[in-house]
Amino acid sequence: MDFCVGVDVSLSLTFVDDIRRLRFCFDKINRQQRKKFFFFWGIVFIITTTLVLIFKKEVDHSACQRSGSTSSDDDELELGVFDTYILLWDIVRLKPMLWMIVILLTGKVAFGATDGMTGLKLIAMGMPKDKLSSMAVFLTPVQVLLPWFIGKWTAGSGPLNVFLLAYPYRIFMGGIFAALVWWTPSFRTERDFSFILYVLWIVAYCFHQVASYSMFVSMMAFNAQVSDPKIGGTYMTLLNTLNNLGGNWPVTLVLSLADYLSYYICFTKGSKSSLYSCNAKVLSDQCKSSGNVCEVVIDGYYVAVALCSVIGIIWFKAFFNKIKCLQKIPRTDWRVFSK
């Protein structure tokens, strides 16, 4: 299961990268050629769907259900929309779920700056977007092979042990990313950046992906283990939604605070003598209109990475034992319906 999840996500990321590449290709194709292209694939789509309609045979299972066949205890229930939301509330009220929700919503604060700002910093420094997105191609083998490699550790009774091992390593990679961002301008050439820089970033992203994906697969494996079989789809959807939300809101928060964490000073052009702080947009415009330069003295990116890393270390020490205890809770305690 973990391997399938890894392949699915990696193929999705590769597909997104291919779409970005196609955009550059379409920019070079005239409108007439585009019409022929879409017309051809439209015909292919119509033919294939028609063949599926003609030759694909569906099996009606309703007759078997009406015949009185009994379902097993692990068969998933079919619920309406209203009943599903009531069931979600029952899941949230489970004692183990209260701690699980806190862990899922707060566990990725440590990586908010690294995940949300690193790419933007590189683009701001002049790295081409297409080359930055092309780095994802080299991450695909890691995304495909890693779930298979760590599967024997996530399939047992303690899948979150991998999560705990990868967590401090991912915090450390945040510091490595900050150091690489700091050194990136020194690799600048006349037209682009040095080839060595791209190699360094690809290697760094691969190591970062090992930690990130190990945490993801580990958490997915644990969610699959504790989900109630009778409502597996609803249970897993809730846990994955909380997991995704826990990874997104820290990025949004860090990006909104980035300007407040930075410190700008207006310098006299040429002499580099400081005049006044130009953090506010009005002061920045005033500085530039006077022919001076408003430069960043303290970059909010490095401040954000440092703050998030400190928060991550505190979080790791605070929740380490709790995560260990969650794995020891009997799986039946996570179920809404008792057998």
Side-chain angles (χ1 to χ4, degrees):
M1 176 182 175
D2 298 338
F3 178 75
C4 294
V5 171
V7 172
D8 180 60
V9 175
S10 62
L11 289 178
S12 300
L13 294 174
T14 305
F15 176 75
V16 172
D17 185 66
D18 291 339
I19 291 296
R20 291 172 179 170
R21 291 175 177 273
L22 282 174
R23 187 184 66 181
F24 293 102
C25 296
F26 277 125
D27 290 340
K28 300 180 180 180
I29 300 176
N30 59 43
R31 182 172 298 181
Q32 189 65 27
Q33 290 174 321
R34 291 185 195 179
K35 289 175 64 176
K36 293 180 180 179
F37 175 83
F38 286 115
F39 180 78
F40 170 77
W41 285 109
I43 296 297
V44 172
F45 176 79
I46 293 174
I47 293 174
T48 52
T49 51
T50 303
L51 292 175
V52 170
L53 177 65
I54 295 173
F55 295 104
K56 182 70 172 73
K57 303 299 181 183
E58 299 291 341
V59 179
D60 186 7
H61 295 282
S62 59
C64 298
Q65 295 175 356
R66 289 193 298 268
S67 63
S69 59
T70 58
S71 59
S72 64
D73 292 335
D74 289 343
D75 286 345
E76 190 165 349
L77 298 177
E78 294 184 5
L79 302 172
V81 176
F82 183 73
D83 294 332
T84 300
Y85 280 102
I86 294 178
L87 189 60
L88 287 174
W89 176 245
D90 293 335
I91 296 173
V92 171
R93 290 192 301 165
L94 294 173
K95 288 185 178 180
M97 276 297 297
L98 297 178
W99 280 108
M100 191 65 180
I101 291 173
V102 174
I103 290 171
L104 290 176
L105 291 180
T106 60
K108 295 182 180 178
V109 175
F111 321 118
T114 302
D115 294 346
M117 298 178 66
T118 301
L120 297 176
K121 284 293 296 182
L122 293 176
I123 293 173
M125 290 178 176
M127 183 174 289
K129 295 180 182 179
D130 56 331
K131 291 187 177 180
L132 185 61
S133 63
S134 297
M135 294 182 187
V137 176
F138 298 94
L139 304 181
T140 302
V142 178
Q143 295 166 348
V144 173
L145 296 176
L146 189 62
W148 170 78
F149 180 74
I150 66 175
K152 58 183 178 181
W153 289 287
T154 58
S157 59
L160 291 181
N161 291 336
V162 177
F163 179 93
L164 294 174
L165 287 173
Y167 196 92
Y169 172 64
R170 189 173 174 183
I171 295 177
F172 173 75
M173 287 306 302
I176 297 296
F177 272 32
L180 281 176
V181 170
W182 179 271
W183 283 320
T184 291
S186 61
F187 289 89
R188 183 81 187 187
T189 59
E190 293 182 0
R191 295 183 178 180
D192 199 354
F193 290 93
S194 172
F195 176 76
I196 299 176
L197 177 67
Y198 290 108
V199 174
L200 290 175
W201 271 111
I202 290 172
V203 173
Y205 268 115
C206 286
F207 279 105
H208 177 267
Q209 194 69 18
V210 170
S212 175
Y213 227 60
S214 295
M215 291 176 57
F216 171 76
V217 174
S218 174
M219 187 60 70
M220 287 289 292
F222 181 74
N223 292 346
Q225 288 186 11
V226 301
S227 296
D228 194 330
K230 283 184 173 293
I231 48 171
T234 304
Y235 213 124
M236 283 290 290
T237 300
L238 174 63
L239 292 174
N240 290 334
T241 300
L242 293 171
N243 191 27
N244 293 332
L245 182 61
N248 290 331
W249 78 261
V251 174
T252 304
L253 179 63
V254 168
L255 290 176
S256 62
L257 296 177
D259 289 337
Y260 298 99
L261 298 175
S262 301
Y263 187 70
Y264 297 85
I265 291 181
C266 182
F267 291 96
T268 304
K269 190 174 183 180
S271 64
K272 290 295 182 180
S273 59
S274 59
L275 299 175
Y276 52 85
S277 172
C278 55
N279 274 33
K281 188 177 185 304
V282 177
L283 295 176
S284 177
D285 294 339
Q286 177 183 335
C287 177
K288 294 176 182 178
S289 62
S290 302
N292 300 315
V293 181
C294 183
E295 292 185 356
V296 59
V297 178
I298 300 177
D299 197 325
Y301 169 74
Y302 305 104
V303 177
V305 170
L307 287 176
C308 289
S309 298
V310 171
I311 293 173
I313 294 172
I314 296 173
W315 185 94
F316 183 72
K317 289 184 175 294
F319 286 94
F320 182 88
N321 292 329
K322 178 55 66 176
I323 293 175
K324 285 281 190 180
C325 291
L326 284 177
Q327 297 185 115
K328 298 177 182 179
I329 296 175
R331 299 299 186 248
T332 53
D333 291 355
W334 295 83
R335 298 188 177 185
V336 179
F337 300 100
S338 58
K339 289 188 176 182

